[in-house]
């Protein structure tokens, strides 16, 4: 790869793969595609141990259930569960309706077959990228198909109310481009499930579309109680002082991401995520002969990291998934240390990998969920400035995984980046 030109790895030419030569007006800016991804919005995992995994993400990490869908109906009658093992759970850490989704694996496999039979080891059921407007979703849906990409689903789903289209990369990771995520406010309630047939779409909607305010009026006029949605479970015992707020645990998840994937062909993956989705390469790392690529959607050093699949065995990670790890940021370094101690005391396996594999993040650790997926807890992500260049490696903080200090000297961007809006709890 060409280390001097990080946006152009060797062997991948501009325009390769049918990328449009023309430019598109996106909010008055001329771009090579009719949409602009601004952040990673949410990710989902397919799991077998739904109750244990739900306990891990909710009771240990602090996510709230915002909605559910019964996917058991996808299974043959004799295989339909009588407990909650067929339920999909939409979880949130903030005001977005969902920032993480748990799907029961058996039903997810049936859904995958209906959409085009994705590989079994692809257990990330969605990788969702937010854009800034509905027009970008509608025109992006058409643009992807015009350039040879398969769109397996489009329209609008409830829960979440977001308009979207789904397209897989070349190895079967299903990517969602979406706009308009439902926001959950002070009362902690999502939209009523009864609105699903009323405002859902199974295809891109006509634009311009009515506003959210007008849609709420339409829902009420159809006799649906807007106050009847699912509410998050209230805390049982708040015993930890987290930046002056009493919480159930000594930390707060404030952001989901980045996502790390193992891929069989880094070049093909780059063509999809860079040339089609429009992510930018921030940095490449050669770790023991393995080229790893880090791509960003905004000012964060990276939103997505691609690793050669050979590294999965080298690192001793779960061989049944291509999801290397899903990042989850806590509010501070002290919260990170507290989170690791809190989870360890409760029997969660904690692993620390070479920090060279995570440029842009200094201290972090992997918490292994009951379904075998790794959650990378961290507190900091390097921010890029106006020139789009990352910090030189020699100027970054040097991490010793065997000796985490109690406190750290601040970096120039230690408290920068995406802010968590709203109360911590």
């Amino acid at each position: 790869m060409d280390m001097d030109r990080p946006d152009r790895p060797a062997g991948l030419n501009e325009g390769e793969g049918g990328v449009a030569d023309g430019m598109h007006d996106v909010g008055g800016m001329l771009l090579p595609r009719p949409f602009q991804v601004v952040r990673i919005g949410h990710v989902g995992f397919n799991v077998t141990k739904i109750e244990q995994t739900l306990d891990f993400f909710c009771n240990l990490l602090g996510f709230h259930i915002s909605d559910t869908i019964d996917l058991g109906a996808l299974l043959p009658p004799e295989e339909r569960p009588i407990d909650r093992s067929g339920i999909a759970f939409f979880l949130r850490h903030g005001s977005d309706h969902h920032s993480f989704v748990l799907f029961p694996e058996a039903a997810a496999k049936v859904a995958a077959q209906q959409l085009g039979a994705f590989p079994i080891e692809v257990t990330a059921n969605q990788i969702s990228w937010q854009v800034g407007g509905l027009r970008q979703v509608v025109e992006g849906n058409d643009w992807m198909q015009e350039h040879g990409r398969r769109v397996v689903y489009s329209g609008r789903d409830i829960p979440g109310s977001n308009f979207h289209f789904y397209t897989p990369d070349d190895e079967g990771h299903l990517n969602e481009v979406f706009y308009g995520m439902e926001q959950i406010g002070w009362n902690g309630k999502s939209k009523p499930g009864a609105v699903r047939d009323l405002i859902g779409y199974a295809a891109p909607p006509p634009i311009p579309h009515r506003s959210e305010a007008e849609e709420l009026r339409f829902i009420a006029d159809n006799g649906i109680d807007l106050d009847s949605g699912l509410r998050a479970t209230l805390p049982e015992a708040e015993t930890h002082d987290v930046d002056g707020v009493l919480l159930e645990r000594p930390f707060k998840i404030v952001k989901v991401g980045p996502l790390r994937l193992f891929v069989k062909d880094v070049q093909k993956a780059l063509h999809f995520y860079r040339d089609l989705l429009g992510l930018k390469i921030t940095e490449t790392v050669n770790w023991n002969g393995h080229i790893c690529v880090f791509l960003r959607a905004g000012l964060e050093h990276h939103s997505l990291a691609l690793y050669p699949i050979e590294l999965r065995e080298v690192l001793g990670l779960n061989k049944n998934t291509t999801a290397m790890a899903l990042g989850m940021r806590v509010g501070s370094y002290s919260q990170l240390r507290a989170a690791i101690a809190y989870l360890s005391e409760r029997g969660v396996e904690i692993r620390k990998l070479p920090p060279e594999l995570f440029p842009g993040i200094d201290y972090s650790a992997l918490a292994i969920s009951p379904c075998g997926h790794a959650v990378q807890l961290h507190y900091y992500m390097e921010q890029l400035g106006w020139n789009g260049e990352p910090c030189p490696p020699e100027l970054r903080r040097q991490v010793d995984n065997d000796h985490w200090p109690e406190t750290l000297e601040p970096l120039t961007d230690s408290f920068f980046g995406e802010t968590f809006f709203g109360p911590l709890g």
Side-chain angles (χ1 to χ4, degrees):
M1 291 192 178
D2 185 349
M3 300 297 286
D4 296 325
R5 291 288 305 278
D7 280 341
R8 293 192 60 189
L12 188 61
N13 299 319
E14 292 179 358
E16 184 177 338
V19 176
D21 294 326
M23 303 298 279
H24 300 263
D25 183 341
V26 181
M29 297 287 179
L30 292 178
L31 299 179
R33 58 195 63 77
F35 61 90
Q36 176 63 57
V37 167
V38 295
R39 67 161 183 154
I40 189 168
H42 49 278
V43 177
F45 286 154
N46 300 331
V47 301
T48 52
K49 303 174 181 178
I50 195 76
E51 290 292 352
Q52 298 96 314
T53 308
L54 191 65
D55 178 73
F56 174 82
F57 283 101
C58 291
N59 293 333
L60 292 183
L61 294 184
F63 282 80
H64 296 293
I65 299 173
S66 55
D67 249 318
T68 61
I69 292 180
D70 186 356
L71 296 181
L74 294 174
L75 300 172
E78 66 275 10
E79 297 180 20
R80 291 174 187 170
I82 58 175
D83 55 12
R84 295 204 303 175
S85 60
I87 302 293
F89 292 90
F90 294 77
L91 311 179
R92 65 182 178 89
H93 72 277
S95 60
D96 273 6
H97 178 278
H98 55 279
S99 51
F100 185 67
V101 187
L102 287 176
F103 277 12
E105 186 177 87
K109 287 179 181 178
V110 175
Q113 291 172 351
Q114 294 176 352
L115 293 176
F118 297 101
I120 299 260
E121 62 180 345
V122 173
T123 61
N125 58 57
Q126 57 190 294
I127 308 167
S128 299
W129 305 97
Q130 185 168 356
V131 297
L134 180 55
R135 186 177 304 279
Q136 295 184 45
V137 171
V138 174
E139 295 182 356
N141 172 83
D142 297 337
W143 185 86
M144 280 288 185
Q145 294 181 82
E146 290 167 2
H147 291 89
R149 304 308 300 194
R150 185 164 61 103
V151 171
V152 299
Y153 185 77
S154 62
R156 185 192 199 186
D157 284 334
I158 314 295
S161 302
N162 48 308
F163 297 91
H164 50 209
F165 67 85
Y166 288 85
T167 182
D169 68 13
D170 293 280
E171 299 188 18
H173 301 104
L174 193 57
N175 285 261
E176 176 191 23
V177 174
F178 77 93
Y179 151 80
M181 176 63 74
E182 175 185 327
Q183 298 296 296
I184 295 180
W186 64 270
N187 65 357
K189 289 189 175 182
S190 59
K191 283 181 182 174
V195 307
R196 290 173 185 171
D197 294 333
L198 197 61
I199 63 173
Y201 289 90
I207 53 176
H209 192 271
R210 63 190 169 200
S211 70
E212 178 83 357
E214 179 57 35
E215 193 162 74
L216 291 174
R217 191 194 326 273
F218 174 70
I219 293 170
D221 288 346
N222 277 269
I224 296 176
D225 179 7
L226 293 175
D227 197 40
S228 61
L230 182 67
R231 179 173 183 169
T233 304
L234 295 175
E236 295 183 1
E238 299 178 330
T239 59
H240 298 275
D241 179 345
V242 182
D243 287 336
V245 179
L246 285 175
L247 299 180
E248 292 178 89
R249 55 199 60 78
F251 62 93
K252 169 65 181 176
I253 301 291
V254 296
K255 189 179 188 301
V256 170
L259 177 65
R260 308 184 185 281
L261 294 178
F262 290 120
V263 295
K264 297 174 183 177
D265 191 325
V266 172
Q267 288 287 70
K268 279 189 176 181
L270 271 176
H271 173 60
F272 179 83
Y273 289 104
R274 184 192 62 181
D275 297 334
L276 294 171
L277 274 187
L279 304 184
K280 296 182 181 298
I281 297 178
T282 302
E283 190 167 347
T284 58
V285 168
N286 185 332
W287 189 77
N288 293 346
H290 299 280
I291 301 297
C292 314
V293 186
F294 303 85
L295 303 101
R296 68 185 188 276
L299 299 181
E300 303 267 326
H301 180 281
H302 61 281
S303 309
L304 179 73
L306 303 173
Y307 300 84
I309 200 164
E310 294 80 11
L311 262 180
R312 185 171 61 181
E313 183 176 357
V314 172
L315 297 172
L317 293 174
N318 186 352
K319 65 180 181 180
N320 297 314
T321 179
T322 56
M324 175 186 177
L326 174 60
M328 294 190 181
R329 189 184 306 175
V330 297
S332 65
Y333 176 64
S334 59
Q335 287 186 39
L336 175 62
R337 285 168 49 85
I340 299 306
Y342 176 86
L343 295 172
S344 296
E345 291 167 359
R346 285 154 181 78
V348 175
E349 179 187 353
I350 301 296
R351 293 196 57 191
K352 295 175 182 177
L353 297 183
E356 294 84 2
L357 292 170
F358 311 122
I361 289 177
D362 50 33
Y363 287 91
S364 72
L366 304 185
I368 308 302
S369 74
C371 59
H373 289 104
V375 171
Q376 184 184 24
L377 295 171
H378 62 104
Y379 80 99
Y380 162 80
M381 175 68 81
E382 181 183 310
Q383 302 295 301
L384 273 69
W386 64 270
N387 63 355
E389 294 293 332
C391 179
E394 63 272 13
L395 298 182
R396 288 179 177 146
R397 194 193 311 276
Q398 299 302 302
V399 173
D400 180 355
N401 270 335
D402 295 324
H403 302 92
W404 283 26
E406 185 172 343
T407 59
L408 299 172
E409 290 293 325
L411 302 172
T412 57
D413 55 355
S414 286
F415 293 97
F416 294 173
E418 186 177 310
T419 301
F420 181 77
F421 296 105
L424 295 182

